[in-house]
Amino acid sequence: MFRHAFQPYIDDPPAHKAVLFHDETALIVRDAYPKSKFHYLVIPRSKKITHKHPFDVFKNNPTLYDIIATYVEKAKDMIMEEMQLTQQFASDSPMTNAEYRARFIRAGVHAAPSLANFHIHVISQDFESPCLKHKKHYNSFTTEFFVSYDDLEPFENTSFRDYGYASDSDAGDDSSDASDSEANQPLIRDPHILNNIIRESPLVCTYCGVSFGSGFSRLKSHLALEYAKHFRSCPTDQSRFA
């Protein structure tokens, strides 16, 4: 069943070529339908969390968040290693490798995941991929639909972030200051609202911030030009990454 496509990876990691790393805690997997040049998944293996909603996995559990964060950072490092083997910065690129890692590799979850097993996307922000086929694909990684891993971190005190909707009483409470209000802003999990976000939000370039409205073909052409401007392929045998 499609929704449980990751379960075989969890059950028997060595049997699957897509699994790049595994131990008893988590897997790092190459996405079968990558939406960028570099698109990995971190998949925790625990039966206790694998079917939880992403917003609930780390609730009241900062220790687990920190443990899984080490795998997220490892996946970023692996992307950088692969990028350095297969790509080069263009001679006039203003970005160093460290700047690229910080700005153009994001880790996060879909607020309304299509697959059942909890997983974290670690993805470069070039979106140069034949698997990126329509507006909803792009906006699922560039709008509120994609929630940064950092935003899943629970507060390490008695007050934990509410991942549901603010109650009416919360909405009318002006006692907290603006910074507290912003820090506790609830994340959206209503699938109807989320699907509307990825359907209706304008397409915005991840390099320069230019909006292309609903012009997906124009965005794709622009992203290809931006990528060519900043990067070029190395004369390396890339078959190992197929």
Side-chain angles (χ1 to χ4, degrees), residues 4 7 10-12 24-26 43-53 57 64 68 116-118:
H4 298 277
Q7 192 61 51
I10 294 171
D11 293 340
D12 188 11
E24 67 279 0
T25 302
I43 308 175
R45 301 181 70 181
S46 171
K47 293 180 180 179
K48 294 180 180 179
I49 66 173
T50 192
H51 291 132
K52 285 188 175 183
H53 188 279
V57 170
L64 178 62
I68 300 304
N117 297 97
F118 172 59

Side-chain angles (χ1 to χ4, degrees), residues 3 26 59 86 92 105 114 151 167 193 204 223 234 239:
R3 274 190 56 77
K59 208 169 187 179
T86 61
D92 60 348
I105 299 179
S114 58
D151 289 334
S167 65
I193 295 174
V204 177
L223 289 172
C234 294
S239 61

